[in-house]
Amino acid sequence: MSIYYDQHLHTHHSFDSEEHFENYLNKTDNTLVTTEHLDFYNPADEFKDSLPDFITYNQEINELEEKYNRNILRGIEVGYVPSQHDVITEFVEKSPYDLILLSTHQNGKIDFMDPIVRTMEKKRLVTEYYEQMILSVENMTQANILTHFDYGMRQLDISAEEYQQLAEPLLIELFKKVIDKKLAVELNAKSFVKYNNQHLYDYAIPLYISLGGQLFTLGSDAHVAEDYELGFKEMGQLLKNHDIKELAIFNKQKMSLVTF
């Protein structure tokens, strides 16, 4: 029987990690997949194009699969910006990824984790952020998982009540599109644990379920091996509290469900 495994990991093939595959392989006997960053004109990387080199990435994985006698999946985390749609889809389509994460990190001018967002009026930030995320779900047809829906809220001191007041109509539209596109929704440990946003998940996950959403993944968003499966117990319990008993996994971008 298949076992759930962490589906949001980064290695030295991402601009913001120096981690090596071997350290993840030594943490688990389960299937390993890494999801390397793709962000064109990336404000978090001095406006460079943060692009994984699939040829080098794939070659290293092939060598590790032979050395460890293990199956390693190829993944990518797409930082979607609507104005970059053509270059993003062209990049993704030319390589055989097993798993595609869909993220909203930046808008071509600022990263939504930049402290400057603290100076923005909250309603404006929430509106701009979720309108862009809605467009990403509409347009990025290759995606499998919508990651950290709260990424743009990480710099804010915002209660669940205020978040609901500002974001609920946009979240309803977003989740309806996610359900229509058959994307899974990620519970992200970096948000849940490190940025103390569990209260936003406590609010948003039941909202998604109330709209008919049933597809979930857990992702540590690890950039170092010690964070592998970070927060899985706590995030898994939240789902079990809402009678969710299965999680989605992807191989060759085909989904299957496993108990957890």
Side-chain angles (χ1 to χ4, degrees):
M1 184 176 72
S2 296
I3 299 173
Y4 188 76
Y5 49 87
D6 200 337
Q7 292 184 104
H8 193 159
L9 305 172
H10 298 277
T11 72
H12 62 96
H13 291 280
S14 290
F15 77 95
D16 57 354
S17 175
E18 298 180 358
E19 191 57 276
H20 296 282
F21 283 96
E22 292 90 339
N23 293 329
Y24 287 119
L25 288 165
N26 291 332
K27 294 283 287 186
T28 179
D29 293 327
N30 291 341
T31 299
L32 181 69
V33 58
T34 73
T35 50
E36 311 298 351
H37 279 299
L38 170 64
D39 274 275
F40 284 96
Y41 199 62
N42 185 3
D45 193 20
E46 299 178 336
F47 292 96
K48 299 173 186 174
D49 290 338
S50 304
L51 313 178
D53 181 341
F54 185 83
I55 293 175
T56 303
Y57 175 67
N58 189 55
Q59 180 179 351
E60 182 174 2
I61 289 177
N62 286 336
E63 292 170 357
L64 288 166
E65 286 181 320
E66 183 174 350
K67 177 181 177 180
Y68 284 82
N69 192 28
R70 297 271 298 276
N71 182 36
I72 303 173
L73 302 183
R74 286 80 170 153
I76 191 167
E77 180 182 3
V78 174
Y80 189 87
V81 178
S83 62
Q84 301 169 357
H85 176 81
D86 290 344
V87 292
I88 289 171
T89 53
E90 180 182 0
F91 186 96
V92 171
E93 287 172 353
K94 68 183 181 183
S95 300
Y97 288 104
D98 291 293
L99 171 63
I100 300 176
L101 306 184
L102 178 59
S103 297
T104 299
H105 293 133
Q106 49 110 348
N107 61 10
K109 298 176 182 177
I110 62 166
D111 187 284
F112 287 106
M113 273 286 292
D114 193 310
I116 196 172
V117 302
R118 299 175 194 162
T119 69
M120 296 174 64
E121 193 268 325
K122 284 184 182 178
K123 180 63 175 177
R124 175 191 163 200
L125 172 64
V126 167
T127 301
E128 290 184 7
Y129 183 72
Y130 286 108
E131 284 182 347
Q132 181 173 324
M133 188 177 285
I134 289 164
L135 285 175
S136 78
V137 173
E138 286 180 345
N139 296 332
M140 188 66 193
T141 58
Q142 301 94 331
N144 307 123
I145 299 170
L146 180 71
T147 66
H148 44 49
F149 67 85
D150 65 308
Y151 181 93
M153 308 298 106
R154 286 178 176 176
Q155 288 292 332
L156 302 185
D157 180 12
I158 188 168
S159 67
E161 293 74 22
E162 184 179 16
Y163 181 64
Q164 178 179 8
Q165 181 181 15
L166 294 174
E168 185 163 280
L170 292 160
L171 283 174
I172 289 172
E173 182 178 357
L174 172 67
F175 288 149
K176 284 182 176 180
K177 291 184 184 299
V178 165
I179 293 165
D180 182 61
K181 299 288 186 179
K182 295 181 172 59
L183 297 181
V185 169
E186 177 196 74
L187 279 71
N188 181 278
K190 207 166 184 180
S191 290
F192 200 93
V193 177
K194 295 195 172 186
Y195 286 96
N196 300 309
N197 273 353
Q198 178 177 344
H199 61 295
L200 301 187
Y201 285 78
D202 288 340
Y203 154 68
I205 294 305
L207 176 64
Y208 167 69
I209 293 171
S210 74
L211 296 168
Q214 290 290 311
L215 299 179
F216 292 96
T217 67
L218 307 180
S220 67
D221 201 352
H223 289 65
V224 292
E226 66 187 40
D227 285 344
Y228 181 80
E229 291 192 351
L230 176 71
F232 273 33
K233 180 179 179 181
E234 298 89 342
M235 296 188 299
Q237 188 59 55
L238 171 58
L239 293 180
K240 289 176 181 178
N241 290 345
H242 293 285
D243 204 31
I244 301 297
K245 300 175 182 177
E246 294 180 316
L247 295 171
I249 57 174
F250 294 86
N251 191 336
K252 295 182 174 59
Q253 298 180 43
K254 301 297 183 183
M255 182 183 69
S256 56
L257 297 175
V258 299
T259 56
F260 71 104

